[in-house]
Amino acid sequence: LLNTFPLLEEVSIRSMLPDRVEVQLTERSNVLLWESGGQTWWVDYQGTVLGVAGSPVGLVVIHDVAGVATDASGRIAGVPWQLACDLVRAMPMMSMMDYTREHGLVVYATTDQWLVYLGHEGDAARKVAIMISLVQQLEGSRQRVAYIDLRNEHRPVYKRQ
């Protein structure tokens, strides 16, 4: 079962005579989706590929924009998995992120889809708080923004369009 269903973390089977079998399944709770080249894989919070995702629903998808790992297996190196995990907790409403080697994790803010570069490391909760505050301030002053750069949360930068 563990080889067939990659989202299972643990399986225990107990048989009792004369005619009873008890199966207990434990699912992995810390799982993301990695999408690259039109294929999607289940990936745990350490970046270990668990298998091909048949019908991914309700999980955060990280899009491999530049084709870093189009044939995922083993562990996908270079991706800031800890930051991604922390961002999932800090922004429970988020459904997707992009990933590039240059910018790290990228999300989109506002209905105008402002790019927000979150980078490879740092304090996810702090980055999200700064992003929300900055977006509110910029929208309030009717600014048009090309991107917000929070790769260094101690020195946030934005570029006007």
Side-chain angles (χ1 to χ4, degrees):
L1 285 174
L2 291 173
N3 291 333
T4 305
F5 301 101
L7 292 184
L8 292 179
E9 186 168 23
E10 189 178 324
V11 176
S12 66
I13 301 171
R14 190 174 127 196
S15 62
M16 295 159 277
L17 295 175
D19 58 358
R20 186 172 168 175
V21 174
E22 185 178 288
V23 179
Q24 186 173 13
L25 307 173
T26 305
E27 286 184 314
R28 296 176 191 270
S29 58
N30 299 327
V31 178
L32 299 165
L33 295 167
W34 177 258
E35 184 278 323
S36 185
Q39 182 66 44
T40 306
W41 294 270
W42 306 108
V43 180
D44 70 13
Y45 279 8
Q46 287 75 43
T48 303
V49 176
L50 304 171
V52 174
S55 57
V57 178
L59 294 174
V60 175
V61 178
I62 300 177
H63 298 282
D64 178 13
V65 175
V68 172
T70 56
D71 188 21
S73 62
R75 184 174 186 281
I76 302 172
V79 178
W81 296 108
Q82 185 60 53
L83 181 60
C85 162
D86 294 344
L87 286 167
V88 168
R89 289 188 198 105
M91 291 192 304
M93 66 292 209
M94 177 182 53
S95 62
M96 61 149 278
M97 292 181 252
D98 286 348
Y99 173 76
T100 68
R101 283 191 177 122
E102 179 184 359
H103 298 110
L105 296 173
V106 179
V107 296
Y108 300 86
T110 77
T111 55
D112 293 329
Q113 297 292 293
W114 296 351
L115 289 167
V116 181
Y117 303 126
L118 298 169
H120 291 88
E121 59 189 10
D123 183 333
R126 181 180 171 113
K127 289 180 185 232
V128 169
I130 292 168
M131 177 183 69
I132 290 169
S133 177
L134 196 51
V135 164
Q136 288 173 344
Q137 179 183 356
L138 292 168
E139 280 188 319
S141 62
R142 300 191 188 273
Q143 296 286 327
R144 293 179 53 102
V145 174
Y147 66 81
I148 298 171
D149 190 340
L150 297 175
R151 288 177 284 183
N152 179 348
E153 69 262 29
H154 302 289
R155 298 183 62 132
V157 176
Y158 68 90
K159 180 180 179 186
R160 294 182 183 150
Q161 279 186 335

